[in-house]
């Protein structure tokens, strides 16, 4: 039998200083065993998130906001949801970070350093709404697998970077280009270096839009590590899975990109409605493109108790590639609706502010429901919309409870 090996005094001393106290029986700590006190990092501290964010998973890290935390027009980092499919890159070597453009449909591949990107192309800033395709998944029945997002996997940050369009024009692309796919520096959960955690993309028409950025700043600062430092593809209005973090390479494809999580039930929904729980043949699944019309009441918090019969409510509304043209609220469970004040977006693909002065007829329990209508005339459903295998695209009306006494 092998003798147990114990750790050296120097390693022990450094562990004790990291813990801020003596490890009393440290001389008996088996070699290779990390004290629990050192292995568990607090993700809220690690990512500078508010303590009231909701942690859904810690391998990979996934966190969401509560609706009232999303009250700002530009969401501050502390309230931005985190969605990782794999493991965040350990070390980011910004000095040597490059972006390569390759694929069947480039005339010849090209690589840019970060500083080339910043100096050779004009920078642009846009406020862009990013919502996880699975936001609202927790409401579907039967429950689909995956993170049980409730309402807070959405945000609108200010992104600064260069247009993907400008880069693609500089590289030169062939006329048969149909799609772009991203490749990133995070690793697969299995640790297998030959596998990618996720590699999605958008059709070439979306890639060529003015607002589609290769961003290097979020909210006027370096992008936080967890949100894709140092470089991120940002395709606002589409499922946020299309906005690749830790971006290293973009392939210009002559086919619909076939990277990790482009097929099967990943970010795809039945092309036509199915019964809840039904299995759907692969050829009847369609890739999610523009996200549906939706809104969120960000003030007050649900459960508000008020003593006045008047209440100011406010929130945000967004509709993928469309704009929102009408915003309404109901205090009688959707029987009648009144119009809210609705602001224009600061730029395309940014969420819009709405507000209303609500009057309650008498004391008692109420629910305030909010409903948006987009520029195609499509409104949010009052209840959970069509079931799909992975529980995407739940854009049901947001409801908050209010007690008037
Ligand atoms: N490289 C990489 N990019 C990624 C992901 C990822 O796991 N790896 N997750 C995607 C998904 S599914 C979402 S919803 C958004 C989340 O962005 P956020 O963490 O900034 O909120 O990033 C997308 N881009
Ligand atoms: Mo996502």
């Amino acid at each position: 039998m092998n003798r147990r090996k114990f750790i050296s005094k120097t390693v022990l001393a450094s562990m004790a200083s990291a813990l801020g106290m003596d490890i009393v029986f440290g001389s008996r700590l088996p070699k290779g065993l990390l004290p629990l006190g050192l292995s568990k990092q607090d993700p809220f501290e690690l990512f500078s998130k508010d303590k009231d964010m909701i942690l859904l998973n810690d391998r990979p890290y996934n966190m969401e906001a509560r609706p009232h935390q999303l009250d700002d027009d530009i969401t501050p980092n502390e309230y931005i949801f985190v969605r990782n499919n794999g493991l965040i890159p350990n070390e980011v070597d910004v000095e040597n970070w490059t972006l390569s453009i390759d694929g069947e449909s480039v005339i010849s591949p090209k690589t840019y350093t970060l500083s080339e990107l910043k100096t050779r192309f004009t920078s642009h800033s846009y406020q862009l709404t990013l919502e996880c395709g699975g936001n609202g998944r927790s409401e579907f029945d039967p429950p689909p697998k995956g993170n049980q997002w409730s309402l807070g996997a959405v945000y609108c940050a200010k992104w600064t970077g260069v247009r993907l369009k400008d880069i693609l024009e500089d590289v030169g692309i062939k006329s048969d280009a149909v799609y772009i796919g991203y490749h990133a520096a995070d690793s697969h959960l299995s640790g297998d270096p030959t596998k990618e955690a996720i590699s999605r993309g958008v059709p070439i028409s979306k890639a060529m839009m003015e607002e589609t950025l290769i961003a290097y700043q979020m909210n006027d600062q370096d992008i936080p590590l967890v949100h894709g430092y140092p470089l991120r593809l940002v395709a606002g209005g589409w499922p946020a899975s299309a906005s690749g973090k830790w971006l290293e390479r973009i392939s210009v494809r002559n086919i619909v990109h076939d990277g990790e999580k482009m097929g099967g039930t990943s970010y795809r929904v039945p092309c036509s409605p199915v019964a809840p729980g039904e299995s759907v043949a692969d050829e009847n699944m369609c890739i999610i493109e523009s996200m549906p019309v939706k809104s969120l009441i960000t003030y007050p918090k649900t459960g508000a108790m008020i003593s006045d019969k008047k209440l100011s409510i406010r929130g945000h509304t967004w509709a993928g590639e469309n704009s929102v043209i009408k915003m309404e609220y109901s205090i009688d469970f959707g029987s009648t609706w009144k119009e809210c004040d609705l602001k224009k977006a600061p730029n395309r693909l940014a969420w819009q502010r709405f507000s209303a002065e609500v009057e309650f007829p008498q004391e008692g329990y109420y629910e305030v429901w909010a409903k948006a209508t987009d520029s195609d005339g499509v409104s949010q459903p009052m209840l959970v919309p069509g079931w799909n295998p992975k529980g995407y695209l739940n854009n049901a009306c947001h409801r908050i409870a209010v007690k008037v006494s």
Side-chain angles (χ1 to χ4, degrees), residues 192-266:
D192 181 342
T194 64
K195 285 188 183 165
E196 289 180 290
I198 186 168
S199 169
R200 305 199 66 245
V202 292
I204 200 77
S205 54
K206 176 68 176 167
M208 298 304 268
M209 272 190 179
E210 289 189 352
E211 299 86 359
T212 302
L213 295 180
I214 302 297
Y216 45 80
Q217 280 194 334
M218 187 188 90
N219 296 350
D220 298 316
Q221 291 180 329
D222 282 348
I223 302 172
L225 176 65
V226 72
H227 297 296
Y229 180 76
L231 211 56
R232 180 176 192 171
L233 172 63
V234 186
W238 284 50
S241 54
S243 293
K245 309 193 267 191
W246 312 292
L247 184 68
E248 288 183 320
R249 183 160 64 92
I250 285 189
S251 296
V252 186
R253 310 294 314 266
N254 61 6
I255 54 165
V256 173
H257 183 54
D258 52 359
E260 188 62 30
K261 308 215 172 178
M262 282 300 294
T265 55
S266 294

Side-chain angles (χ1 to χ4, degrees), residues 321-369:
E321 289 286 328
N322 287 336
S323 57
V324 175
I325 55 159
K326 187 158 89 177
M327 189 67 216
E328 295 162 289
Y329 73 89
S330 172
I331 57 168
D332 58 8
F333 302 104
S335 304
T336 61
W337 296 86
K338 287 201 168 103
E339 216 161 314
C340 301
D341 181 61
L342 175 65
K343 296 264 181 298
K344 286 208 163 68
N347 55 252
R348 240 174 58 76
L349 313 178
W351 64 20
Q352 293 166 243
R353 166 69 71 186
F354 70 85
S355 59
E357 301 299 324
V358 180
E359 275 189 49
F360 300 101
Q362 62 189 69
E363 291 182 0
Y365 174 87
Y366 295 89
E367 286 186 11
V368 181
W369 293 12

Side-chain angles (χ1 to χ4, degrees), residues 273-294:
V274 299
E278 201 174 300
S279 61
V280 187
D282 215 53
E283 66 269 24
N284 296 331
M285 295 289 280
C286 286
I287 298 173
I288 302 170
E289 299 199 326
S290 174
M291 291 293 284
V293 59
K294 200 166 173 180

Side-chain angles (χ1 to χ4, degrees), residues 12-162:
L12 195 59
S14 67
M15 282 178 170
S17 83
L19 278 167
M21 57 185 72
D22 188 28
I23 304 173
V24 178
F25 294 109
S27 62
R28 301 185 199 168
L29 186 68
K31 198 176 174 178
L33 190 72
L34 192 68
L36 283 176
L38 286 177
S39 63
K40 267 280 172 209
Q41 280 168 301
D42 175 12
F44 299 89
E45 263 168 42
L46 194 63
F47 305 133
S48 307
K49 298 295 174 186
D50 187 88
K51 293 278 179 209
D52 277 339
M53 295 277 289
I54 304 161
L55 183 68
L56 298 178
N57 196 347
D58 64 2
R59 197 178 193 278
Y61 281 115
N62 290 297
M63 293 181 165
E64 72 171 312
R66 296 173 199 270
H68 72 273
Q69 295 177 317
L70 297 171
D71 194 37
D72 300 88
D73 288 337
I74 296 179
T75 315
N77 178 52
E78 60 184 320
Y79 302 131
I80 293 181
F81 82 94
V82 171
R83 164 61 170 136
N84 292 319
N85 288 267
L87 303 172
I88 301 171
N90 281 325
E91 271 163 56
V92 170
D93 179 6
V94 264
E95 297 305 311
N96 296 307
W97 193 277
T98 55
L99 174 70
S100 300
I101 312 290
D102 65 3
E104 305 94 355
S105 296
V106 293
I107 292 160
S108 64
K110 204 161 171 176
T111 297
Y112 302 90
T113 63
L114 275 184
S115 68
E116 276 174 329
L117 285 177
K118 292 180 190 176
T119 54
R120 290 199 32 200
F121 301 97
T122 311
S123 86
H124 299 271
S125 295
Y126 299 103
Q127 294 170 35
L128 300 167
T129 308
L130 291 183
E131 179 178 17
C132 178
N135 196 21
R137 174 177 292 140
S138 62
E139 297 295 320
F140 284 102
D141 187 29
K145 287 203 193 99
N147 289 293
Q148 294 302 301
W149 303 109
S150 100
L151 295 154
V154 61
Y155 65 108
C156 186
K158 177 184 172 191
W159 294 96
T160 301
V162 298

